[in-house]
Amino acid sequence: MDTAESFQNENEATDYPAASGTDRETSYLGIDLGTSVITICNNKGSTFSEYSLIARDNNPDSERDDEDRLYVGKAALERADLELNWPVKDLLYKGGNCGNLRALIEHCVQAAGITAEHEHRYAMISVPPCADASYRRAVVDAARPLFRGLMIANGPFCVAYGNKKINGSIIIDAGACKTDICRIHDCMPEDRDYLNVPVAGENIDQELVDLLAEKYEGSTVTKELARTWKETYGFVGDADEECRVELPIGDSTEDVMINEELRLACESIIPDIVSGILRIVSDAEPQFREALRNNIYLCGGSSKIRNISSFIENELREVGGGKVFLLDRPECAGAYGACMLAEKMPGEFWEKLSNLDNAKKSDVIL
């Protein structure tokens, strides 16, 4: 079993510093392929995020060239006339198109300002612990032409590594489609160390849509609009501001306050997350359980809901207690840790890896 401590270094995660003494012609990238958001960190200290979404204008009469016909992230959301594709989600759950994922990654690498040529780019891609071999292979197939060296890494381990939390912690990565709960204790996590909880941000969005439809007859709120309100006002527990929105009802809108519905929607995922934490703790060796309970760290897009760490901690008090902490810049934690891992790998390792075929590369995972 590999020892996680062998990969730990001294950088502080909260500052996201550029590496010292690094060849300026070489870029080491950490890429977190979220189903909703893709995040890229590089060894020069910069971070880039965008919705994991693309749309293509396939109109044969369009005067735009092929590259200009691709819309990514927010630009794609603005094209209501085009079919939207979520490449990461499609590949993870439906076995989608590798070409769409490659287009997404390539666009975001360019948008992130990565100027190093292909031969001087190395990437560590963070993937969910539940990702199977076919998904990892698809990611490698999609991304390999863009980098000299490429490796897949366990997402929660990347988070723990980047935040120096590998010595006895629980990482909760609350994303859009699911919440990963992973136990990290001195070694690379195995299958028995993680739990996939099938509730996350999209469940909140749908619950908010349903609650508003129940209260306001004729409500035409979409999941996309609900997501925007959640990202702007989302909270659990006590609200610190009024959440007033223009609610679409039929052909008009109405100014309403949605505090109660938003609170209920955001709190709807908490019981399953708490149950997952308890299961992960109870499955650990008895001598490690107290340390794990008191070192629970939240990251991911849904972790930005106001008060979520203290709310979960309060829920845990009813079942034995625990300490829950929100990581700094939680939406970037996976990409930053992946970048640190990429930079830590020795040059000869990357050289050997670059000579493997894609099928074997997908089997090399941290």
Side-chain angles (χ1 to χ4, degrees):
M1 184 178 296
D2 294 323
T3 301
E5 288 180 341
S6 64
F7 293 103
Q8 189 69 63
N9 71 14
E10 299 302 320
N11 288 345
E12 290 294 333
T14 55
D15 295 333
Y16 288 42
S20 59
T22 302
D23 181 0
R24 292 186 178 182
E25 297 301 319
T26 301
S27 285
Y28 294 96
L29 309 181
I31 303 176
D32 185 0
L33 288 180
T35 55
S36 178
V37 174
I38 177 174
T39 303
I40 299 176
C41 290
N42 70 28
N43 59 308
K44 305 301 188 290
S46 65
T47 303
F48 172 85
S49 294
E50 182 58 276
Y51 286 121
S52 304
L53 170 68
I54 69 169
R56 296 181 186 274
D57 182 357
N58 294 319
N59 183 355
D61 297 327
S62 174
E63 296 181 357
R64 301 164 68 92
D65 59 32
D66 289 343
E67 184 174 341
D68 289 338
R69 291 184 184 185
L70 177 69
Y71 298 86
V72 176
K74 293 178 182 177
L77 284 176
E78 295 171 357
R79 291 300 305 264
D81 57 318
L82 301 179
E83 180 182 357
L84 302 181
N85 294 284
W86 297 85
V88 180
K89 184 190 300 184
D90 290 346
L91 270 177
L92 190 58
Y93 297 111
K94 304 175 185 177
N97 188 328
C98 286
N100 285 341
L101 180 59
R102 181 178 301 164
L104 173 69
I105 296 174
E106 184 173 20
H107 172 91
C108 290
V109 167
Q110 293 174 354
I114 308 302
T115 57
E117 297 295 329
H118 162 272
E119 289 300 308
H120 300 284
R121 293 199 302 233
Y122 300 87
M124 187 78 68
I125 298 183
S126 166
V127 300
C130 64
D132 60 17
S134 63
Y135 175 76
R136 298 198 304 269
R137 188 170 296 114
V139 170
V140 170
D141 289 342
R144 180 64 188 92
L146 307 176
F147 305 100
R148 167 72 175 173
L150 174 70
M151 189 172 179
I152 304 298
N154 176 288
F157 179 76
C158 288
V159 173
Y161 178 79
N163 286 274
K164 303 174 73 173
K165 306 299 181 186
I166 62 173
N167 296 316
S169 65
I170 292 175
I171 302 297
I172 302 176
D173 187 350
C177 297
K178 58 182 175 47
T179 298
D180 291 321
I181 304 177
C182 190
R183 182 172 56 233
I184 310 287
H185 203 287
D186 294 335
C187 57
M188 297 296 176
E190 300 177 354
D191 288 349
R192 62 186 177 85
D193 294 316
Y194 77 86
L195 185 65
N196 183 312
V197 181
V199 295
E202 289 188 356
N203 299 87
I204 296 173
D205 303 338
Q206 186 60 57
E207 182 69 9
L208 182 56
V209 169
D210 294 342
L211 288 170
L212 291 172
E214 183 179 324
K215 183 173 182 179
Y216 299 97
E217 184 177 354
S219 169
T220 55
V221 173
T222 63
K223 287 184 68 174
E224 289 73 22
L225 186 55
R227 182 186 68 230
T228 299
W229 292 342
K230 175 196 67 183
E231 292 176 351
T232 304
Y233 302 111
F235 73 98
V236 292
D238 297 327
D240 54 7
E241 63 177 323
E242 284 191 354
C243 307
R244 302 200 71 88
V245 300
E246 291 294 319
L247 182 75
I249 299 178
D251 296 329
S252 62
T253 62
E254 182 177 340
D255 181 64
V256 300
M257 188 168 70
I258 62 168
N259 285 56
E260 183 64 10
E261 291 76 23
L262 187 57
R263 179 186 67 80
L264 290 172
C266 290
E267 290 180 3
S268 67
I269 68 171
I270 301 298
D272 286 341
I273 292 176
V274 171
S275 295
I277 294 171
L278 295 177
R279 180 175 168 184
I280 284 290
V281 171
S282 64
D283 286 347
E285 296 294 331
Q287 65 269 29
F288 299 136
R289 291 174 187 170
E290 183 177 359
L292 290 171
R293 273 184 177 272
N294 291 305
N295 289 278
I296 301 171
Y297 298 93
L298 275 170
C299 66
S302 295
S303 70
K304 294 188 291 183
I305 292 171
R306 292 178 181 87
N307 309 325
I308 190 169
S309 58
S310 59
F311 192 90
I312 293 176
E313 187 170 301
N314 286 335
E315 294 295 299
L316 287 172
R317 286 193 183 123
E318 303 297 322
V319 285
K323 294 291 184 182
V324 183
F325 306 92
L326 179 64
L327 293 173
D328 290 323
R329 299 181 68 185
E331 71 280 10
C332 304
Y336 178 64
C339 180
M340 290 175 64
L341 281 168
E343 194 174 27
K344 186 72 171 179
M345 293 298 172
E348 57 268 24
F349 172 86
W350 283 118
E351 191 61 31
K352 289 179 181 179
L353 189 63
S354 67
N355 293 325
L356 295 177
D357 60 43
N358 282 1
K360 291 181 179 178
K361 284 188 180 73
S362 65
D363 292 328
V364 181
I365 179 171
L366 285 180

